[in-house]
Each structure stands twice: as structure tokens, then as C-alpha cells.
Amino acid sequence: MTDMGDSVEALVNMMRGTTAFDRALANQALQDLRTQSSEIVPLFRNPGDDPATEALDTIWLEFADFTNRANRLEMAAGELAGGIETLGDVRPALQSIGETCSGCHDIYRQE
């Protein structure tokens, strides 16, 4: 999940002007998010595998919904990847990804 944070951070830094806008890097970050999000569900197949987990037990009680939400993130990132042409495209892409991420984190992640 750390890799996903790195991908989002690359986009956030471009949007904030902390780093220069780079079309190829922005699109690669979204492609990486698509790939990384495809790895979410297998990470949570077995409850209790990670003693440092921030996951709530509801993931395993509602695993079908959790899986659906992870798949939606993968699809959203995949649809956005390749579509970043200008710096102005980064904010709406981040908003879309952020809404998808927070929709899952709000339910399945400890504060």
C-alpha cells in the first residue's frame, strides 16, 4: 500500500507545484495505481496476516463489498491513465481517485 501512496504523492506534488508537471510521469503514476490496486484484494484474503494492519474486521465480514470497491479503484485509475495532458487534468484525476480511496478507507480502515 506504500507504493500506492507514492503514486498519489507524485500527482499531489505536481498539482501543488512542489514538482514540475510531467505528463508522462503523471500518466505512469495512474497506471501504477491501476496495477497496485489490482493487488489490494489478495493482500486481505487472510484475516490477521499482518499484525500491523490498519484494517478493520469488517473487511472480512463484508469481503464482497471490499472487493468491489478495490476493483472500482483499479477501473478508475485505468480509465484515467493516459488521459493526463495538462496540469489542469491532474486535479480532477486526483479527486476521482481520492473519492474512490476514501470510500473504502472510511469503512474498512482504522483511524
Side-chain angles (χ1 to χ4, degrees):
M1 301 294 252
T2 303
D3 291 340
M4 293 181 78
D6 292 343
S7 296
V8 170
E9 184 177 5
L11 294 167
V12 168
N13 287 339
M14 282 184 222
M15 184 186 72
R16 290 183 177 160
T18 308
T19 59
F21 171 71
D22 181 322
R23 184 177 64 82
L25 181 63
N27 283 297
Q28 185 60 54
L30 288 165
Q31 183 59 39
D32 291 347
L33 276 171
R34 188 204 61 76
T35 300
Q36 294 153 353
S37 61
S38 72
E39 300 165 357
I40 292 173
V41 173
L43 290 174
F44 292 93
R45 287 226 187 267
N46 299 312
D49 277 355
D50 181 0
T53 186
E54 295 177 337
L56 295 170
D57 290 340
T58 52
I59 282 180
W60 297 283
L61 298 172
E62 300 172 11
F63 201 71
D65 180 63
F66 174 74
T67 299
N68 184 21
R69 290 171 184 275
N71 290 340
R72 283 192 292 207
L73 175 58
E74 181 180 359
M75 289 188 320
E79 289 171 4
L80 293 165
I84 303 293
E85 295 293 329
T86 68
L87 180 58
D89 296 329
V90 175
R91 182 179 296 276
L94 270 171
Q95 287 174 327
S96 177
I97 294 297
E99 289 170 6
T100 307
C101 290
S102 66
C104 195
H105 286 183
D106 291 348
I107 299 169
Y108 298 114
R109 183 178 175 188
Q110 294 179 45
E111 293 291 323

